[in-house]
Amino acid sequence: MTRALKTDNSQTLIRDKALWMRQHAMRMVYDKQLGHLGGDFSAIDVLATLYFGVLRYDPARPEWTERDRFVMSKGHATGALYTALAAAGYFPQDWLDTYMQHHSMLNGHPNRQYLPGVETNTGPLGHGFPVALGIAISGQIAGADYRTYVLTGDGEQQEGSNWEAAMTAGSRKVRNLTLIIDRNRLQQGARTEDTNGLDPLDDKYRAFGWHVVEIDGHEYGQLLDTLGAPVGDRQKPLCVIANTVKGKGVSFMEDQAKWHHGVPNAEQFAQAMKELV
């Protein structure tokens, strides 16, 4: 399978997939009264762009050696990841109905022993980025042309393990690695800057030897152009700061810290589904 190519219809396809993902993530969390919708919805446009406009993969061969690798470091955002994998054909879409049930393969955090398409188990924050770095270094050493992408939350950037990975990636010039930061500026209970300030996040990554691009994380053209750009002669790892809105797409959820792990009641669910059209 070849790497996805951008066409005039790419943004329409990605927009349709992202809407489908939001609808199904909302239903999954409502039905089970468990989940992290706010972070799901801030990240869904990034994942839809990756899986339907950027990544090289074959769902029939999840371990295909030439696949691009994607690591969901913010592992609590399974509503976004599972709907992306289902839409991409890694497993039947009706598996989404089993979300967080006893003995389900769709746990609250992704497990690569259970689900095809999951590169590594994540959940404890700050672990996915270092693992993705190791995957990228392995490809660099082997001379492989696969690309490695990792998505972290911005609150997750407060974990020291991320900065060890950032320093190592910059020092080694791991040019096949792309870090995407879901910069919705909210974490559990508060704003990131009121908890443990991150800004100037762009300058910090530049100081560690990264190429940094800041974009609108809900604008498909910017996402495609930035994430889909060929590695080419790039000599640095790429940090993409994707400015997003927590709860994007549902009016009463947007930019509200309580929706980090809030779950909708019947009235809220009905309103959300009316808006997600």
Side-chain angles (χ1 to χ4, degrees), residues 182-212:
D182 182 5
R183 189 69 169 114
N184 61 43
R185 297 184 176 272
L186 289 169
Q187 59 193 97
Q188 182 173 328
R191 295 199 171 272
T192 56
E193 299 312 290
D194 294 334
T195 304
N196 190 359
L198 296 170
D199 286 331
L201 196 54
D202 54 347
D203 288 342
K204 289 175 181 176
Y205 270 91
R206 289 189 184 98
F208 277 104
W210 289 64
H211 178 59
V212 180

Side-chain angles (χ1 to χ4, degrees), residues 114-128:
Y114 294 165
L115 280 183
V118 175
E119 292 290 344
T120 188
N121 297 10
T122 52
L125 297 178
H127 290 190

Side-chain angles (χ1 to χ4, degrees), residues 30 252 264-274:
Y30 171 68
F252 61 84
N265 59 31
E267 181 180 355
Q268 290 169 328
F269 173 73
Q271 180 180 341
M273 295 305 286
K274 286 181 181 179

Side-chain angles (χ1 to χ4, degrees), residues 42-244:
S42 64
I44 274 177
D45 293 319
V46 172
L47 267 68
T49 301
L50 285 171
Y51 280 95
F52 300 101
V54 173
L55 294 177
R56 180 175 67 188
Y57 63 92
D58 183 351
R61 295 181 292 163
E63 300 298 322
W64 180 40
T65 57
E66 296 179 30
R67 72 190 183 281
D68 290 332
R69 275 68 165 172
F70 171 69
V71 173
M72 185 69 152
S73 192
K74 49 177 286 183
H76 55 282
T78 48
L81 179 62
Y82 293 161
T83 53
L85 292 175
Y90 278 96
F91 54 82
Q93 293 178 4
D94 60 9
W95 285 17
L96 297 175
D97 297 336
T98 72
Y99 182 59
M100 291 207 200
Q101 289 183 355
H102 292 303
H103 306 298
S104 171
M105 290 184 284
L106 279 64
N107 287 348
H109 293 119
N111 188 321
R112 75 180 311 274
Q113 302 301 320
Y114 294 165
L115 280 183
V118 175
E119 292 290 344
T120 188
N121 297 10
T122 52
L125 297 178
H127 290 190
F129 180 12
V131 171
L133 171 60
I135 293 171
I137 290 173
S138 176
Q140 185 182 58
I141 292 172
D145 74 341
Y146 68 75
R147 298 178 296 184
T148 301
Y149 296 82
V150 54
L151 177 67
T152 76
D154 52 359
E156 183 179 4
Q157 288 290 305
Q158 295 160 1
E159 298 283 352
S161 52
N162 287 316
W163 296 102
E164 294 179 29
M167 179 170 55
T168 302
S171 175
R172 297 183 65 114
K173 297 180 172 56
V174 186
R175 65 193 192 95
N176 60 340
L177 175 64
T178 298
L179 165 68
I180 309 159
I181 302 174
D182 182 5
R183 189 69 169 114
N184 61 43
R185 297 184 176 272
L186 289 169
Q187 59 193 97
Q188 182 173 328
R191 295 199 171 272
T192 56
E193 299 312 290
D194 294 334
T195 304
N196 190 359
L198 296 170
D199 286 331
L201 196 54
D202 54 347
D203 288 342
K204 289 175 181 176
Y205 270 91
R206 289 189 184 98
F208 277 104
W210 289 64
H211 178 59
V212 180
V213 178
E214 193 162 355
I215 64 171
D216 181 340
H218 301 299
E219 209 288 312
Y220 301 119
Q222 292 182 36
L223 286 164
L224 277 168
D225 288 344
T226 304
L227 300 178
V231 173
D233 295 328
R234 191 173 78 200
Q235 295 302 313
K236 298 179 179 181
L238 173 63
C239 173
V240 179
I241 300 175
N243 291 299
T244 62

